[in-house]
Amino acid sequence: MNIAVAVDDVRREALPSASEAGPAPKRIVVAYGFWIFLLSDIVMFSALFAAYAVLVRATAGVPAGAQLFNQVSVAIETACLLVSTYTCGMMSLAVNARRRAATYFFAVVTFVLGAAFLYLEVREFADMIARGATPQRSAFLSAFFTLVGCHGLHVAAGLAWLAVMMAQVAVRGFRASVERRLLCFALFWHALDIVWVWLFTVVYLMGVRP
Amino acid sequence: MTDARYDRAPGDISISAEAKERTLSDVGIYTIGLALAVILTATSFWVANTSLLWAPGIPLGLVVLAIAQMGVHLVFFLHITTGPDNTNNVLALAFGVLIVTIVVAGSLWIMTNLNDNMMLPAKLMNLHMQH
């Protein structure tokens, strides 16, 4: 037992700690910086969530969530985003293995699912506005459109980013800078799904309860 | 073996020596994550619509399910672990969670308190209206 510990110690000493090893590789620095950005983005979302939670009863006589939300549509949106997160992960693995065809395939699937999510959400918004539930009608609706619309804008930005990344893979191939951006995109896309988990829980599932 | 011991980038699957020995493939990790997330999402939708459960407890149950699913996403999709190469990622995440909790819980607490204090008792309210 003691011998095993001693051998383990020798191996550990042979490896310098991260602070002694000098600056970390750029991939780690970039991904960590983007991780900090994502967390600050989530802090921004938390402010919108707080505003929504405070204003959810301020409906000013207009129909509240229970009459406006369509759970089937929300379930399909959730499924689209969840599967697109999975295919985004598959794309990351394809990028790590330098498999170009698989990268394109999973990127297209991710893009189509994200676009389907966005289409359903825009249709839901249009339907609500057609029924008179516009953002300026009540404090509840202002908070709702700000919160859900902000997430929708993030998804739209993610789709544009994914399209640009595929163009970069096509033109420049898997060089280090492109790989770093693809890693950041994957982080962004997974984080958006975490925000959506809270959105469908707080806004839609709690909202449909009387 | 790598010559230095660096942190791991968030979102990167471990490429260390012990990771090579694990039985699960990388695809398997994502697939388990997807399966767990689907189960938790389906449970959330069922909980919100069922009449079998005690109604006042349902919002709390939904929050617990959302926290569980957030954990699944962090572990299986973002590959946040408790390993020593992940300390910085976990610390940043912990700080983010702290701020989010303060913002959301603090807003709700203050606004509920404010609403309660603004609501005058009926007797006082009537007196107020007469003048």
Side-chain angles (χ1 to χ4, degrees), chain A residues 62-63 68 125 127-137 141 145:
Chain A
V62 189
L68 290 170
F125 281 6
D127 182 48
M128 282 175 69
I129 288 168
R131 287 154 70 187
T134 52
Q136 65 268 40
R137 191 64 190 79
L141 286 166
F145 277 102

Side-chain angles (χ1 to χ4, degrees), chain A:
Chain A
M1 172 112 188
N2 278 332
I3 294 167
V5 168
V7 168
D8 209 30
D9 281 352
V10 169
R11 271 186 64 201
R12 264 160 209 268
E13 270 169 16
L15 284 171
S17 73
S19 54
E20 289 165 356
K26 198 164 183 181
R27 180 183 171 87
I28 293 169
V29 176
V30 166
Y32 185 68
F34 197 75
W35 181 233
I36 303 279
F37 158 72
L38 282 177
L39 290 167
S40 67
D41 208 32
I42 286 172
V43 167
M44 182 207 71
F45 268 109
S46 80
L48 297 179
F49 269 105
Y52 177 84
V54 165
L55 296 172
V56 70
R57 306 251 169 250
T59 50
V62 189
Q67 289 94 46
L68 290 170
F69 300 151
N70 177 6
Q71 271 206 67
V72 177
S73 171
V74 174
I76 297 171
E77 285 174 41
T78 307
C80 282
L81 214 55
L82 189 56
V83 175
S84 87
T85 282
Y86 178 72
T87 57
C88 177
M90 294 295 107
M91 184 182 80
S92 303
L93 295 180
V95 168
N96 289 347
R98 309 287 173 107
R99 287 166 57 202
R100 200 178 271 249
T103 306
Y104 286 136
F105 173 74
F106 285 117
V108 167
V109 175
T110 307
F111 189 93
V112 167
L113 287 168
F117 168 86
L118 214 54
Y119 168 75
L120 285 170
E121 189 164 281
V122 168
R123 206 185 58 173
E124 186 199 349
F125 281 6
D127 182 48
M128 282 175 69
I129 288 168
R131 287 154 70 187
T134 52
Q136 65 268 40
R137 191 64 190 79
S138 73
F140 156 70
L141 286 166
S142 301
F144 169 82
F145 277 102
T146 311
L147 176 57
V148 182
C150 192
H151 178 266
L153 277 180
H154 276 75
V155 173
L159 288 179
W161 188 2
L162 181 59
V164 170
M165 285 324 300
M166 284 310 105
Q168 291 198 353
V169 170
V171 174
R172 300 179 179 177
F174 292 120
R175 59 167 83 164
S177 61
V178 174
E179 279 186 15
R180 284 199 299 271
R181 288 166 203 161
L182 282 165
L183 176 64
C184 289
F185 170 77
L187 283 173
F188 182 71
W189 202 251
H190 293 317
L192 278 188
D193 205 33
I194 292 180
V195 173
W196 179 254
V197 167
W198 285 101
L199 262 176
F200 81 71
T201 302
V202 172
V203 175
Y204 292 104
L205 293 185
M206 289 186 184
V208 294
R209 301 200 58 79

Side-chain angles (χ1 to χ4, degrees), chain A residues 11 15-16 18 21 23 27-28 31-32 35 39 50 53-54 71 78 85-86 89-90 93 187 193-194 198 201 206 209, chain B residues 2-7 9-10 12 26 30-31 45 48-49 59 62-63 70 73 77-78 88-89 92 107-108 111:
Chain A
R11 271 186 64 201
L15 284 171
R27 180 183 171 87
I28 293 169
Y32 185 68
W35 181 233
L39 290 167
V54 165
Q71 271 206 67
T78 307
T85 282
Y86 178 72
M90 294 295 107
L93 295 180
L187 283 173
D193 205 33
I194 292 180
W198 285 101
T201 302
M206 289 186 184
R209 301 200 58 79
Chain B
T2 50
D3 49 322
R5 197 187 268 257
Y6 289 116
D7 289 350
D12 258 354
D26 295 343
Y30 280 104
T31 309
F45 275 84
N49 289 295
L62 287 172
V63 167
M70 191 171 69
H73 281 246
F77 296 151
L78 289 164
N88 282 337
N89 302 339
S107 300
L108 281 173
M111 293 311 287

Side-chain angles (χ1 to χ4, degrees), chain B:
Chain B
M1 178 166 285
T2 50
D3 49 322
R5 197 187 268 257
Y6 289 116
D7 289 350
R8 196 196 309 167
D12 258 354
I13 286 189
S14 173
I15 46 166
S16 59
E18 67 261 41
K20 292 249 168 27
E21 294 163 12
R22 66 171 177 239
T23 48
L24 257 164
S25 65
D26 295 343
V27 177
I29 292 175
Y30 280 104
T31 309
I32 288 180
L34 179 71
L36 288 174
V38 166
I39 291 169
L40 288 168
T41 305
T43 313
S44 286
F45 275 84
W46 178 79
V47 164
N49 289 295
T50 187
S51 54
L52 291 172
L53 297 171
W54 185 56
I58 284 176
L60 186 66
L62 287 172
V63 167
V64 170
L65 284 166
I67 291 173
Q69 193 169 347
M70 191 171 69
V72 166
H73 281 246
L74 286 171
V75 170
F76 291 94
F77 296 151
L78 289 164
H79 312 299
I80 301 296
T81 69
T82 53
D85 55 354
N86 246 298
T87 314
N88 282 337
N89 302 339
V90 172
L91 276 179
L93 175 68
F95 183 65
V97 170
L98 173 73
I99 300 295
V100 167
T101 312
I102 290 174
V103 167
V104 174
S107 300
L108 281 173
W109 185 21
I110 291 171
M111 293 311 287
T112 316
N113 217 321
L114 195 66
N115 282 345
D116 289 349
N117 288 336
M118 293 289 270
M119 216 77 81
L120 292 168
K123 206 173 160 190
L124 239 168
M125 190 74 111
N126 286 338
L127 205 77
H128 196 69
M129 291 300 180
Q130 284 165 10
H131 292 284

